[in-house]
Every structure is written in structure tokens, then in C-alpha cells.
Amino acid sequence: AIPRTSTRCFSASARSSAEVNAAVFLEDKAGELVPAAANAVTAAKKLGGKVTGILIGKDEASLEKAIAMSRKLGLDNLLVRHAAALEHALAEPTAPVLAELIKKNGFTHLAGPHSALGKNIFPRVAGLLDVQQISDVMSIQDADTFTRPVYAGNAISTVRSKDAIKLFTARASTWEPAQPTESECSVDVAAAENVGPGASTLAAWISEELVKSERPDLSSAPTVVSGGRGVKSKESFDSTIIPLADVLGAAIGASRAAVDSGYADNSLQVGQTGKVIAPALYIAVGISGAIQHLAGMKDSKTIVAINKDADAPIFQVADVGLVADLFEAVPELVKKIEAA
Ligand code: FAD
């Protein structure tokens, strides 16, 4: 088992839930809400007060689907702000819009996903408001007190913030997604006020290369098959990990060693510097179980490990362990699942 300690910082008077007026930054991708946005809504609701969603983008038409999805998340209100400069969610023009909305509406909290985008935008909003960001929040004790992992998830820190406005990113894997409701909240759509023509001069969007895949998304898939350095090459990654993922309808993950060796795309990395996930089933193939990898998957409901080394640390967190050569065990497993 992984040791867990707790550290405590500062003290301040707690805010009652009656005073909570929280907002959630609703991240969208290609006009649709990302799954982690619904997890962040749950975190904001845990504060116990009013929760307003904020959607930001190019124009109302491009956000149509995201607006429809957001309205059903059980929010008290939805603010949609748009401007041409906000099209690609660059942090530089987006952060001032969020900061202004917080000031104007008297929001006491801003929550958002602990995603690449959240990690890019939130520190800038914090800087503009002169408050401290609280990252990767796993639980909320009261409106001022949060827990978050430190030391690659080996310790959980309890942080109490004295800031008047709390800005936090929520770890998606520890918050259930907000379930769609029958009733729809009201929507306030308007042009973003503080986005001038020079707003995006600090950074410019050039292009993006999206990995298109029919596979379930790694961050939210219920089953994940991950390969490590033990898989030995890109060719054998493709001929062992992919067939197993295919028969299970699973997403594919990888250790950093596998990514660094070019076996898998870097968007598939699981761990401290990759994605943090908690699927119902995580199958680690040829992965030793370094703490930095465990930091990204140890909260999975059931962990299966296939490794030829019986002393590999991954077996300490595995619910089911198979000491075997993966090149024999995985094809056999695929055949058995296909035959079942
Ligand atoms: P290895 O440790 O080399 O393990 C390969 C395993 O495959 C071994 O256990 C071996 O027994 C087994 N094996 C070999 N051949 C076979 C076979 N034929 N059949 C069955 N089993 C076999 N790592 C991450 O994964 N994610 C991160 O986000 C991450 N972030 C990091 C951040 C920092 C700051 C640092 C310093 C490191 C980070 N790492 C991360 C790297 C981490 O420390 C490990 O180096 C990495 O996880 C090892 O990957 P691996 O288990 O695939 O490789």
C-alpha cells in the first residue's frame, strides 16, 4: 500500500455555504463540453451554494452544443461570453474575461478542470486577481478548505485559503460527473467586454494537430489497457496492446518510458506528468510501477498487472497479478476473451 500523510496549512474563518457564489469554467473542445467539465461542476456544487457555469468561445453558434449540454448540468445560471479572439481558448485573452466576470458577479470561487487548458488559464486568472491558485483538488472540506495530492500523490495536503476568491482546478478522477437534469438553467449570452483587438498579441494560434481516434477517451474510459517499456518496440506495442484494447473496447495508455521510446503518442501517457485516471479496470502490461506512474492510475477500481518480474512494484497495487511473459500471456488473453 502507498503511504499517505497529511499536511495542514494556515487557518482562517470558514465561509458559510449561504455566502458561496461559485462559478465553473466549462471547458469545451470543438464546441462540445469535455467530460472533465461535468466533474468540475460536481466539485463546485460540493461548496454548497449557488453555482454559475461560464462558457467562453468565438460566438454563440459555435457554442450551441456546449450550451445545450451545460444547461442540463443542474447549474443555477449559465454565462456565455464570446469574441473572435476567444476562438481557440488561448489563455492570454481568456484569463482577463474570466477575471472580469468574477469581479462583476462577485463570485467567491472559480472551479475548472485540472486539464492542460485549466492549468494554462487558471494561474493567469489567479495572477490578475492577485490570489493563490489551488491545484488538483480531490476533496472539499468547507468553502475555504481543500485537499490535494503532493509528492506524486504519496501525501495528501489539506489547504485552507485566506483569499477572498478561491480559484481551484478539480482532479477529474475523484469527482463524479454532474448528471444531466430534466430542468434547464437560464442562459445569459453576451459579447465578451474586455477583449480588445490587441488581446491576442501575446500569443497567436497557428494550428493544431488532433489525434483522431474511434477509441474511448483515455481520461474518461471505464477500461484502459496500458503498455510499458516491457513491450519493447512500437511494432509490438501495436500488435499486443491494441488487440487487447480492441477486444475490451478499452482506451490505450502508456508509461512515460513507452512514450519516450516512441511506442505510443505522448497524449497517452499516464502518471504524474501525464493523465491522472481512475477507470473501473486498468490493465498494466510490461509496466514496472514506478511511483510517478502509480500517481496516475492507483485510484483505478480494479488494477490488473502483467509482468514477468514477480518483484515488480506494480504488483503491490494490483488486485490481480499475472507473472508471465506478456508476449505469450496477452495474445492468449485476447483469444480467450474473443472466444468467451
Ligand atoms: P520500466 O521501469 O523499465 O519497466 C518495464 C517493466 O516491464 C519491468 O517491470 C519488466 O519486468 C517488465 N517486462 C519486461 N519484459 C517483459 C515481458 N516480456 N513480459 C512481461 N513483463 C516484461 N512515468 C510514467 O509512467 N508516467 C509519468 O507521468 C511519469 N512522470 C515522471 C515524472 C518525473 C519527474 C520523473 C523523474 C519520472 C517520471 N516517470 C513517469 C518515469 C518513471 O519514473 C519510470 O521511469 C517509468 O514509469 C517506467 O516505465 P515502465 O514501467 O514502462 O518501464
Side-chain angles (χ1 to χ4, degrees):
I2 298 160
R4 289 199 160 171
T5 57
S6 178
T7 55
R8 289 185 170 269
C9 319
F10 350 114
S11 71
S13 59
R15 190 193 295 270
S16 83
S17 62
E19 297 164 344
V20 168
N21 180 17
V24 190
F25 168 63
L26 298 168
E27 180 177 343
D28 73 288
K29 187 88 198 155
E32 294 193 22
L33 280 195
V34 301
N39 304 82
V41 169
T42 303
K45 284 184 183 173
K46 180 76 178 25
L47 294 162
K50 257 178 63 179
V51 180
T52 299
I54 301 176
L55 264 176
I56 289 181
K58 181 185 161 206
D59 52 32
E60 191 177 354
S62 63
L63 290 169
E64 200 181 327
K65 266 193 190 164
I67 293 172
M69 293 163 84
S70 305
R71 291 188 73 189
K72 289 186 177 292
L73 287 177
L75 296 162
D76 293 289
N77 196 9
L78 179 62
L79 302 180
V80 180
R81 292 295 178 266
H82 54 83
L86 300 171
E87 180 172 9
H88 297 289
L90 290 177
E92 288 78 2
T94 305
V97 175
L98 284 170
E100 200 57 31
L101 283 174
I102 291 170
K103 284 192 222 159
K104 269 200 165 168
N105 294 279
F107 293 129
T108 55
H109 295 74
L110 179 71
H114 191 67
S115 58
L117 191 69
K119 286 187 267 185
N120 197 9
I121 292 176
F122 273 54
R124 288 176 163 84
V125 183
L128 290 169
L129 298 173
D130 196 19
V131 299
Q132 174 85 44
Q133 181 191 332
I134 305 161
S135 300
D136 213 5
V137 164
M138 298 173 71
S139 73
I140 294 172
Q141 297 185 353
D142 61 43
D144 301 326
T145 318
F146 308 82
T147 67
R148 58 177 303 268
V150 290
Y151 304 119
N154 284 310
I156 307 299
S157 174
T158 303
V159 181
R160 183 168 293 159
S161 167
K162 288 177 178 173
D163 283 327
I165 302 163
K166 272 64 163 174
L167 241 73
F168 68 94
T169 56
R171 171 175 282 221
S173 62
T174 59
W175 297 97
E176 290 296 322
Q179 291 307 312
T181 55
E182 285 297 313
S183 59
E184 298 192 351
C185 71
S186 61
V187 192
D188 166 3
V189 184
E193 279 172 17
N194 50 338
V195 184
S200 56
T201 50
L202 279 174
W205 184 89
I206 306 290
S207 69
E208 67 184 352
E209 280 175 41
L210 294 177
V211 180
K212 290 202 178 86
S213 166
E214 295 298 306
R215 243 170 235 299
D217 172 49
L218 174 61
S219 302
S220 54
T223 306
V224 174
V225 178
S226 273
R229 183 160 27 209
V231 180
K232 303 259 182 323
S233 68
K234 163 127 184 59
E235 291 68 37
S236 49
F237 193 95
D238 292 351
S239 62
T240 52
I241 304 301
I242 292 179
L244 183 55
D246 281 345
V247 287
L248 292 168
I252 290 180
S255 71
R256 174 155 157 188
V259 168
D260 288 350
S261 309
Y263 307 170
D265 188 79
N266 121 333
S267 62
L268 303 184
Q269 183 175 317
V270 173
Q272 183 188 341
T273 41
K275 298 216 160 70
V276 176
I277 56 174
L281 175 61
Y282 185 85
I283 305 181
V285 181
I287 292 178
S288 60
I291 54 162
Q292 296 88 355
H293 186 78
L294 301 186
M297 45 60 76
K298 67 177 188 294
D299 292 329
S300 305
K301 312 291 173 292
T302 301
I303 298 172
V304 175
I306 302 174
N307 196 304
K308 67 176 184 186
D309 176 8
D311 294 326
I314 191 78
F315 288 124
Q316 289 170 23
V317 297
D319 301 285
V320 180
L322 180 61
V323 180
D325 186 325
L326 71 93
F327 297 107
E328 290 167 18
V330 173
E332 197 181 330
L333 191 58
V334 171
K335 270 195 203 142
K336 290 210 162 126
I337 296 169
E338 278 171 342

